[in-house]
Amino acid sequence: MQPDVTPADVTGIVANPFYAINIAPVLAEPHPPLISEQEWITANIKLIEDLGPKAYLQNLVSILNGNYPTAL
């Protein structure tokens, strides 16, 4: 049985830069990105338009603080 995926989970996944880049090695292990940087930027432009800049940045800070879905 798969867990229910909420809209907030999807937003957290799309906004998480981990999926598009290798973050500084002191912060995360190197890994193959799942999407290109340009795809990530395009998706996040849409998120900013949908959420508004304040909510988008609050979400991004939450992600960078470790609050993101881990097992979908």
Side-chain angles (χ1 to χ4, degrees), residues 2-30:
Q2 266 190 312
D4 292 333
V5 178
T6 68
D9 292 336
V10 174
T11 298
I13 292 166
V14 172
N16 193 334
F18 177 85
Y19 297 110
I21 63 170
N22 275 299
I23 299 169
V26 298
L27 301 174
E29 291 291 321

Side-chain angles (χ1 to χ4, degrees), residues 16-22 31 33-38 40-41:
N16 193 334
F18 177 85
Y19 297 110
I21 63 170
N22 275 299
H31 63 284
L34 298 177
I35 62 173
S36 72
E37 284 184 52
Q38 188 56 53
W40 185 85
I41 290 167

Side-chain angles (χ1 to χ4, degrees), residues 36-47:
S36 72
E37 284 184 52
Q38 188 56 53
E39 290 169 320
W40 185 85
I41 290 167
T42 300
N44 280 271
I45 289 169
K46 178 77 170 117
L47 270 181

